[in-house]
Amino acid sequence: MNKAKVTAPEGVPYVVIERDFDAPKDKVFTAMTRPELVAKWWVGPGYKVRVDKLEARDGGAWKFVQTDEKGQEWSFHGSYHTVSPDMIIQTFEFDGLPEPGHVALEKMTLTEKDGRTRMRVNATYMTQEDRDGMMASGMEGGMQNTYDQLDKVLADMAAMA
Amino acid sequence: MNKAKVTAPEGVPYVVIERDFDAPKDKVFTAMTRPELVAKWWVGPGYKVRVDKLEARDGGAWKFVQTDEKGQEWSFHGSYHTVSPDMIIQTFEFDGLPEPGHVALEKMTLTEKDGRTRMRVNATYMTQEDRDGMMASGMEGGMQNTYDQLDKVLADMAAMA
């Protein structure tokens, strides 16, 4: 079972995430950039996701809205700086904070070896407090869950190929 | 004479820039978001700028190309995360580096007092090396110069109002 390794180094406003996937890079990239596929895996126990916007290109924007069984909604949005199968660079903001403007810069690289793909995300925060707040929010557990769902989407894609 | 104060704190990947302008906030915002005005001040001794793209809205993109008298060109581009008269959050990349992907996240706030405007920019880099490289590139001198040109644009706008 693949598992995400999340590192939050002391004293610098970064989070590093590494995760392997049992699928080639182009499949992982496709699962991350097609709205109908993201809708299947950006989810967790008791909540779904509605992909309001996913313009997977340099200068595009994205907005994902998670919804629970009671109809509560919370959303995330950002802009794409770079989108290629090797590298996605984007901004990321959780829209539920008391004030807007707490934005992260995320750089994701995908590298393939022997048909498997290693994802590496470097997330950079505007303040140490923003980084620590993100870590304290339970993002790590939520992320483990979503990547497990992504594994299933990738398995389905392989079965259909 | 107003002057930009540039701070690069030790051990964290940030640059902070503060600059006052003798103009109200809406004028400063306008001068920063209209292509024909940016073309007048994003310049320096011996080089001009061509504004290839300036979509001043959440989820828009921008690209500015500087050109010197010999016809040499170098460019910068990014995506807008937030655009409002109080706050612009954007990504920033110099396209002349040996490898792409060295992107900064810039948060600019404008606050007005007694008809004058204080600009504060927090620039965040993905690595300490990226931050130090930007400082070593002479960006501070170039910036002082462009903000002096912006002063002139603001004075012209006031004269025309």
Side-chain angles (χ1 to χ4, degrees):
Chain A
M1 191 82 183
N2 294 315
K3 199 169 176 304
K5 183 181 158 200
V6 180
T7 315
E10 270 297 307
V12 284
Y14 302 133
V15 175
V16 179
I17 303 155
E18 284 187 322
R19 174 70 153 82
D20 290 336
F21 295 98
D22 299 320
K25 186 176 68 171
D26 64 325
K27 287 274 196 301
V28 177
F29 177 74
T30 298
M32 289 177 162
T33 49
R34 287 215 190 139
E36 71 277 16
L37 297 176
V38 170
K40 289 183 182 172
W41 66 267
W42 233 75
V43 299
Y47 61 92
K48 300 179 182 180
V49 71
R50 189 178 75 234
V51 177
D52 271 10
K53 191 184 282 185
L54 199 172
E55 302 165 340
R57 53 177 170 77
D58 294 15
W62 64 273
K63 183 177 181 182
F64 302 163
V65 183
Q66 292 181 326
T67 58
D68 71 10
E69 287 147 359
K70 293 176 186 164
Q72 283 193 295
E73 296 194 347
W74 57 99
S75 64
F76 307 81
H77 81 284
S79 298
Y80 292 109
H81 179 92
T82 301
V83 178
S84 82
D86 297 304
M87 184 162 70
I88 295 177
I89 299 176
Q90 65 176 30
T91 59
F92 177 101
E93 181 172 11
F94 169 50
D95 301 321
L97 295 180
E99 60 169 25
H102 294 267
V103 178
L105 178 63
E106 299 182 340
K107 178 181 188 168
M108 187 196 72
T109 55
L110 297 176
T111 49
E112 183 175 323
K113 193 179 172 188
D114 303 328
R116 305 183 72 232
T117 300
R118 172 155 296 181
M119 178 194 77
R120 188 183 161 93
V121 177
N122 289 269
T124 302
Y125 297 83
M126 288 174 165
T127 64
Q128 196 67 36
E129 294 70 36
D130 281 1
R131 197 285 302 266
D132 294 342
M134 180 58 88
M135 287 303 288
S137 73
M139 62 93 99
E140 185 172 348
M143 202 186 331
Q144 295 288 1
N145 201 286
T146 53
Y147 291 137
D148 291 347
Q149 303 306 313
L150 175 50
D151 280 340
K152 291 180 196 172
V153 169
L154 294 167
D156 287 350
M157 288 167 77
M160 285 189 293
Chain B
M1 191 83 183
N2 294 314
K3 197 168 178 303
K5 185 182 157 202
V6 180
T7 316
E10 269 297 307
V12 285
Y14 303 133
V15 175
V16 179
I17 303 155
E18 283 186 323
R19 174 70 153 82
D20 290 336
F21 296 98
D22 298 321
K25 186 177 69 174
D26 63 326
K27 287 275 196 299
V28 178
F29 177 74
T30 298
M32 289 177 163
T33 50
R34 286 215 192 139
E36 71 277 16
L37 296 176
V38 171
K40 290 182 183 173
W41 67 266
W42 233 76
V43 298
Y47 61 92
K48 300 181 182 180
V49 70
R50 188 176 77 234
V51 177
D52 271 10
K53 190 184 285 186
L54 199 172
E55 303 164 338
R57 54 176 170 75
D58 296 15
W62 64 273
K63 182 176 182 180
F64 302 162
V65 183
Q66 292 181 327
T67 57
D68 71 11
E69 288 147 359
K70 294 177 185 163
Q72 281 193 297
E73 296 194 346
W74 57 99
S75 66
F76 306 82
H77 81 284
S79 299
Y80 292 110
H81 179 91
T82 300
V83 178
S84 83
D86 298 305
M87 185 163 70
I88 295 178
I89 299 176
Q90 65 178 28
T91 58
F92 178 101
E93 181 170 9
F94 169 50
D95 301 322
L97 296 179
E99 62 168 22
H102 293 266
V103 179
L105 177 64
E106 298 182 340
K107 177 182 189 167
M108 186 198 72
T109 55
L110 297 176
T111 50
E112 183 176 323
K113 195 180 172 188
D114 303 328
R116 304 183 72 233
T117 300
R118 171 154 297 181
M119 179 196 76
R120 188 183 160 93
V121 176
N122 289 270
T124 303
Y125 297 82
M126 288 174 165
T127 64
Q128 196 66 37
E129 293 72 35
D130 282 0
R131 197 286 302 264
D132 294 344
M134 180 58 86
M135 288 302 290
S137 73
M139 62 94 100
E140 187 173 349
M143 203 183 336
Q144 297 287 2
N145 201 286
T146 54
Y147 290 136
D148 291 346
Q149 304 305 314
L150 176 50
D151 279 341
K152 293 181 194 170
V153 170
L154 293 168
D156 287 347
M157 289 167 76
M160 286 188 292

